[in-house]
Amino acid sequence: MKATIAVLPGDGIGPEVTSQAVAVLEKVAGLSGHSFSFNEAMMGGIAIDMMGDSAPPETIRTCEQSDAILLGAVGGPKWSDPTASVRPEQGLLRVRKHFDLFANLRPVKSYPALAHHAPLRPDLLEGVDMLFVRELTGGIYFGPRQEQGDGDSAYDTELYSVPEVSRVAHVAFRAAQGRRKKLASVDKANVMASMRLWRRSVMQVHEDYQDVELEHVLVDACAMYLMTRPASFDVLLAGNMFGDILSDEASVLAGSLGMLPSASLGSGTFGLYEPIHGSAPDIAGQGKANPTATILSAALLLRYSLGLEAEARMVERAVEVALESGARTADIVRRGESYISTTEFTQTVLGALSA
Ligand code: IPM
Ligand code: MN
């Protein structure tokens, strides 16, 4: 098949990790007889520096002309002045909103090869395999706000409507049906009106999915359960902000934030694929970044936007094989242990792909 992929490397380690994922996609294309073309565009802080806009119209157009977007990361200290009027993160939020990518899928699993690296007891990590479905275009990220305030106060508003919650709930229930048929919906219904609406909407959608077991978990308790009984979760459904926070927490289960991919989808096959980690300016340009999250995001791109399930699995398996063979980037070794560079790690994955 032929596909066009927009590549938005972004800031910090973004360019280092997207180039590795592109190398993997090129390898897959060669092995499976597909033809992928990659169109690079500017996004984030670098786009602010070059064109004064974190997601310039040219970038949006490049994305519109593509089947999917592969993104690195945006942001960095250079652009984090709290009084700045343009921020790298705004561009990313605008792209998510522009393409109505309301469902953010974040799979989290523990890798046996890394179980001894994670700070949790290995027995707690056994069988950890969950999927976060994070609502991505609503909630407090997009609610009414006073951006600068009057200098003395500022506010953001958590606002959800029944249709907004329902559509992402459908995605979560359908995902659960294809997995272990369990859904945990995360909310704060004991305190927030928006979260009582959330719970009511999810219960309503549940009527269409009676084969899925639904539990409602308060977000604070959920934060604890992720550490005390992570293997009990199958699909977790959360609003924009709770999903953001809990998925970073859950990355501890996978061994590192550098391991977690994500897919942001709307109602069609078009999607945005990005690692859940940030631009990590502290390690940028040192070859220390773990490309796994972006490589696994490319696997999700193959699966969800291009419908290439076998190729997606091939990439996921190659990452596992690389880890099993002992390949480790800096973030997944203990202090003092040796590690290989970003590109060396990718070479190991490419080797596993051809084998
Ligand atoms: C993420 C990131 C973004 C978010 C930032 C960079 C806007 O943390 O994708 O998880 O909060 O959604
Ligand atoms: Mn985040």
Side-chain angles (χ1 to χ4, degrees):
M1 80 170 306
K2 271 191 164 62
T4 305
I5 298 163
V7 180
L8 315 181
D11 309 313
I13 60 170
E16 295 166 59
V17 292
T18 47
S19 61
Q20 304 311 297
V22 167
V24 167
L25 287 171
E26 275 171 341
K27 182 82 179 186
V28 168
L31 290 169
S32 313
H34 303 303
S35 154
F36 301 152
S37 56
F38 300 94
N39 292 334
E40 216 175 275
M42 244 173 319
M43 171 84 172
I46 180 154
I48 293 179
D49 288 353
M50 310 280 287
M51 1 222 339
D53 183 349
S54 52
E58 292 87 329
T59 297
I60 302 287
R61 215 168 312 121
T62 300
C63 295
E64 282 170 349
Q65 290 161 356
S66 305
D67 299 297
I69 308 170
L70 181 70
L71 184 133
V74 298
K78 185 173 175 197
W79 308 281
S80 37
D81 175 356
T83 63
S85 59
V86 284
R87 308 182 57 86
E89 293 80 4
Q90 286 166 344
L92 177 55
L93 298 182
R94 235 189 304 139
V95 168
R96 289 171 178 173
K97 192 78 174 176
H98 179 84
F99 292 100
D100 201 20
L101 304 172
F102 62 86
N104 181 223
L105 312 187
R106 300 187 158 188
V108 179
K109 50 185 259 177
S110 62
Y111 291 86
L114 298 182
H116 288 270
H117 170 73
L120 287 195
R121 285 203 322 264
D123 61 294
L124 279 174
L125 295 175
E126 237 165 78
V128 167
D129 181 359
M130 64 182 86
L131 174 70
F132 277 90
V133 179
R134 170 190 174 195
E135 199 291 325
L136 202 63
T137 51
I140 198 163
Y141 272 50
F142 293 94
R145 66 188 52 207
Q146 178 69 259
E147 195 73 68
Q148 306 296 351
D150 50 13
D152 279 339
S153 65
Y155 62 82
D156 299 273
T157 318
E158 173 89 346
L159 175 66
Y160 269 119
S161 68
V162 173
E164 266 180 316
V165 180
S166 300
R167 64 179 185 170
V168 74
H170 277 287
V171 172
F173 277 112
R174 278 199 300 271
Q177 281 183 325
R179 298 171 46 104
R180 302 196 307 276
K181 298 193 166 55
K182 281 168 52 178
L183 178 65
S185 173
V186 181
D187 63 39
K188 188 71 185 173
N190 54 343
V191 175
M192 295 161 67
S194 58
M195 291 287 100
R196 282 190 285 278
L197 178 136
W198 177 278
R199 189 176 287 207
R200 180 158 56 82
S201 309
V202 172
M203 288 168 77
Q204 184 81 47
V205 174
H206 186 209
E207 288 176 10
D208 296 348
Y209 303 88
Q210 287 298 315
D211 54 330
V212 176
E213 184 193 318
L214 171 67
E215 67 167 330
H216 302 280
V217 195
L218 295 172
V219 63
D220 47 354
C222 188
M224 173 181 65
Y225 295 148
L226 281 171
M227 297 294 110
T228 56
R229 56 167 178 93
S232 74
F233 290 110
D234 181 15
V235 179
L236 292 109
L237 170 65
N240 208 340
M241 188 171 216
F242 291 165
D244 178 47
I245 297 168
L246 293 178
S247 56
D248 265 36
E249 183 194 5
S251 76
V252 171
L253 305 165
S256 161
L257 200 50
M259 300 295 297
L260 295 203
S262 84
S264 303
L265 301 167
S267 44
T269 57
F270 184 83
L272 163 69
Y273 301 84
E274 54 173 327
I276 86 156
H277 64 68
S279 61
D282 53 320
I283 58 161
Q286 299 172 30
K288 279 192 184 166
N290 185 349
T292 303
T294 316
I295 291 172
L296 291 175
S297 299
L300 297 179
L301 186 160
L302 292 167
R303 171 171 297 129
Y304 296 120
S305 283
L306 307 186
L308 300 173
E309 176 63 28
E311 286 82 346
R313 279 180 199 234
M314 219 164 85
V315 172
E316 288 163 349
R317 184 65 203 137
V319 167
E320 276 169 15
V321 169
L323 292 170
E324 282 158 16
S325 76
R328 297 285 185 276
T329 44
D331 57 318
I332 43 178
V333 290
R334 294 204 187 119
R335 195 188 284 274
E337 279 174 1
S338 65
Y339 54 86
I340 57 178
S341 72
T342 308
T343 49
E344 286 166 337
F345 186 89
T346 307
Q347 288 308 317
T348 315
V349 174
L350 294 175
L353 268 175
S354 346

